[in-house]
Amino acid sequence: MDNLKTLEDKLWVVFKDKTLLKQALIHRSWLNENSDSGFENNERLEFLGDAVLELAVTEYLYKKYSNPEGELTNWRAALVNYVNLSEVAVQLGFNEHLMLSRGEAKDTGRARQVILANAMEAIIGAIYLDQGFEAAYEFIKKNILSGLEYIIKNNLYKDAKSLFQEQSQEKFGITPSYRVLRENGPDHDKIFEVGVFLGDELAGGGSGPSKQEAEQKAAEDALNK
């Protein structure tokens, strides 16, 4: 937690109030093991940063592109979703600075991606509080909006379900349908297994902690096949 200068160098931001940067990196699980630290977790900063990020991205897209609202919405969603934000966070070295419980520190899967994305939003909230909207906007432009061209070029703004629907309608004249094949685990930690069908034919399958995520995985599987 003392080596924040390294992170500031990667962020290209020097904080006037270093405690804001520290707070942005504190996951609630760390506080369970360090309750006397005197710090809050990063969830309030994340709440603020989420709104700042959405406004900055929306303003940028509105001013730079004359595309229809639906397209701009899809581009924005691709930029601010947890997968993209977590990738940017990894590139900026967040993993070395996150304050996590020993249990959370061992998790490297989807849960870590969500924690990284939340920390990214918290950092944006911290920059906003420390230096205002323009500084936060410049940070977002440099680190997040810079990936837009790649997203557009590779159709990454289209989610797997949309892409599979386009291709199945184009090639077979069929709209895919999704069905839950199995539900495993207790109510608080359920895993859904979903199949995507073209008519009666199973085209792909996937699983996830929500039906929506399992449907995306099934569509990805079908696209790969």
Side-chain angles (χ1 to χ4, degrees):
M1 204 149 156
D2 298 325
N3 192 23
L4 292 176
K5 175 71 167 63
T6 309
L7 183 57
E8 284 183 315
D9 289 345
K10 290 176 182 172
L11 298 176
W12 287 75
V13 178
V14 178
F15 279 79
K16 300 169 195 166
D17 182 356
K18 308 293 184 190
T19 59
L20 282 170
L21 178 55
K22 289 180 181 179
Q23 186 185 331
L25 298 165
I26 296 176
H27 187 252
R28 66 175 176 269
S29 66
W30 183 82
L31 285 181
N32 293 336
E33 297 175 358
N34 300 272
S35 55
D36 58 349
S37 68
F39 282 97
E40 290 181 47
N41 65 42
N42 65 3
E43 290 171 9
R44 282 165 50 82
L45 283 175
E46 174 203 334
F47 167 75
L48 176 61
D50 174 60
V52 174
L53 175 62
E54 181 126 344
L55 175 58
V57 171
T58 303
E59 180 182 308
Y60 177 86
L61 293 175
Y62 180 84
K63 288 181 175 178
K64 189 170 175 64
Y65 299 94
S66 57
N67 299 58
E69 178 264 348
E71 237 170 32
L72 298 179
T73 299
N74 289 339
W75 294 355
R76 182 178 63 194
L79 286 164
V80 304
N81 68 45
Y82 80 88
V83 176
N84 189 56
L85 292 183
S86 68
E87 287 173 359
V88 175
V90 168
Q91 290 163 14
L92 291 172
F94 279 27
N95 271 321
E96 291 83 61
H97 299 278
L98 281 174
M99 310 301 292
L100 305 169
S101 68
R102 286 184 289 274
E104 287 289 355
K106 293 175 184 173
D107 195 330
T108 57
R110 178 184 177 274
R112 174 61 68 85
Q113 284 185 304
V114 172
I115 288 171
L116 283 163
N118 291 345
M120 173 60 71
E121 291 179 340
I123 289 284
I124 291 167
I127 294 170
Y128 172 78
L129 286 179
D130 194 63
Q131 299 178 27
F133 180 75
E134 282 306 314
Y137 183 85
E138 286 305 313
F139 173 81
I140 292 163
K141 193 173 172 183
K142 181 176 186 293
N143 294 288
I144 297 170
L145 288 164
S146 56
L148 180 60
E149 192 175 323
Y150 180 81
I151 285 170
I152 294 172
K153 183 180 176 183
N154 293 280
N155 280 332
L156 299 180
Y157 61 92
K158 295 183 178 180
D159 62 76
K161 283 180 69 176
S162 300
L163 280 172
F164 185 58
Q165 180 164 317
E166 282 179 16
Q167 292 192 17
S168 57
Q169 286 176 334
E170 184 182 322
K171 292 180 179 178
F172 310 112
I174 299 173
T175 298
S177 60
Y178 294 83
R179 294 207 288 272
V180 175
L181 305 177
R182 249 175 246 93
E183 296 181 19
N184 301 310
D187 286 343
H188 69 278
D189 193 21
K190 202 175 281 293
I191 295 294
F192 297 90
E193 292 184 27
V194 168
V196 57
F197 293 81
L198 294 176
D200 294 325
E201 183 182 346
L202 180 65
S207 60
S210 69
K211 291 177 186 176
Q212 292 83 357
E213 193 158 327
E215 287 174 359
Q216 288 290 343
K217 296 290 184 186
E220 287 172 18
D221 183 44
L223 283 167
N224 290 333
K225 288 175 177 174

